[in-house]
Amino acid sequence: MTTNQELPWVPLLVPDMPSPQELLPWLERMHAVRHYSNFGPLVQELEKAFAQQFALESEQLTTVANATQGLELVLQALDLPTGSRILLPAFTFVATATAVVRAGHQPVLADVDAHTWMLTPEIARAACECMRIDAVLPVATFGMPHDMRAWQQFERDTGLAVVIDAAAAYGSQWLQGAEGTLVFSLHTTKSLPAGEGGLVVSTRPGLGAKVRQLSNFGINLDPGAAMPVGALADLGSNAKMSEYHAAIGLVSLQKWEQHAHKRRTLQADLIREICLASGHSLAWQAQGPAGPQMAPTLLCVQLPDAAARTTVERACQEARIMTRRWYQPLLQHMDVLQQQCLSLDTPNAVQLAQTLLGLPFFWGITLEQRQRICDVVARASAAACSLK
Ligand SMILES: Cc1ncc(COP(=O)(O)O)c(C=O)c1O
């Protein structure tokens, strides 16, 4: 008889990266021209492909080393006074807030919608009535896209800049014909993996070009500018994407459609299987007003209460199924951030932080692993509910 101790763990995530064989032709191209970074041919090719997808001019977007740097540089490029208050959801990854603090501003933590788990324009409007807010940084939570027309209207009504942290939403979050600024992550766990990388897309005049300059130390590379090429125009950073990462991004882009379809199907199947097994007692992230996620990378279940979450978590641990409390604790409960942030009332975020659990989700999950997850989640959630 197999004991649990002998079972191999079901991992939480397995990156969906191109193979060395697929990368080789791109790396050979890179090596042939001896161009490894500094906006080389592969970065240019990747940016051209992105510009076509977003139907924008090439200077309206730029690649960066990662989304965290992308957010920080966008905030710097907005030229807000130091100490500006930036509204963001309490329920997000730490980088949303650390980018704000590192850009010299103060995060103001807002609640999220109970069903989509996102900061909405309505929540932002209510926050603006409570206190001075200088810009808004909504998050495309777990890749769920925002309604850009609604945020454009918000920008017009309030005069505040909105930047969407769309780290996990490549392929799901589009401009939808509206004005806007989006920051994507191309990290290995995201929907378009380049190992590390980011993409800033903005219709705001001059913002893409400014972020590009800031990503290259702040050095002017524009022969048409008032100052000479090579002169330091701004206090920038080094946040350029390398040619190695662009090569991975280009291969991932070729396979994106097929991979996205596989992951959409897999997520829908897993949710259906777990719901069936558990008698529909569980909740999942609701689709937002801008449609579904096109390439999901995570699977999060919401249990009825904190006790049920702990029961399911322990049962998974015993059955050697990895789980993760994504985006928890909330930002206002992290010692390092607590001092830096202002926090509004966030009842929905608090509820999520007590009830949400990330389950394994990756392409290549086996039938045995799926079955194990379904059985354990169903059994543990039924046991937790029967105790009430
Ligand atoms: C909401 C959010 N913002 C920002 C980031 C940071 O992205 P990167 O790893 O590309 O810096 C992440 C990464 O998971 C994220 O989930």
Side-chain angles (χ1 to χ4, degrees), residues 66-69 71 92-93 95-96 139 165 167-168 184-187 189-190 196-198 327:
N66 53 63
T68 309
Q69 288 273 324
L71 290 168
T92 181
F93 184 56
T96 319
V139 174
D165 177 348
F184 297 97
S185 171
L186 309 187
H187 184 259
T189 54
K190 298 294 187 290
E196 290 279 3
Y327 296 174

Side-chain angles (χ1 to χ4, degrees), residues 63-216:
T63 52
V64 280
N66 53 63
T68 309
Q69 288 273 324
L71 290 168
E72 207 175 311
L73 298 185
V74 165
L75 289 165
Q76 185 179 352
L78 285 175
D79 265 335
L80 300 164
T82 304
S84 289
R85 289 182 182 162
I86 316 292
L87 190 74
L88 54 104
F91 184 69
T92 181
F93 184 56
V94 291
T96 319
T98 58
V100 169
V101 176
R102 290 173 57 84
H105 303 307
Q106 183 171 40
V108 179
L109 308 178
D111 205 7
V112 291
D113 177 80
H115 306 287
T116 62
W117 309 344
M118 305 215 282
L119 168 61
T120 62
E122 294 70 38
I123 295 173
R125 280 178 210 276
C128 290
E129 281 169 20
C130 293
M131 66 161 73
R132 192 198 85 226
I133 297 293
D134 301 308
V136 185
L137 185 48
V139 174
T141 309
F142 303 135
M144 189 65 75
H146 279 273
D147 177 354
M148 292 308 290
R149 288 182 184 274
W151 281 116
Q152 174 181 276
Q153 193 57 49
F154 176 91
E155 277 195 330
R156 288 185 180 159
D157 294 345
T158 62
L160 303 182
V162 174
V163 177
I164 308 286
D165 177 348
Y170 175 82
S172 302
Q173 182 68 70
W174 299 99
L175 287 168
Q176 302 145 5
E179 304 283 311
T181 301
L182 313 170
V183 180
F184 297 97
S185 171
L186 309 187
H187 184 259
T188 184
T189 54
K190 298 294 187 290
S191 93
L192 181 73
E196 290 279 3
L199 171 67
V200 173
V201 174
S202 183
T203 58
R204 197 169 267 269
L207 192 110
K210 180 100 186 264
V211 171
R212 171 180 291 251
Q213 180 171 277
L214 289 170
S215 78
N216 186 40

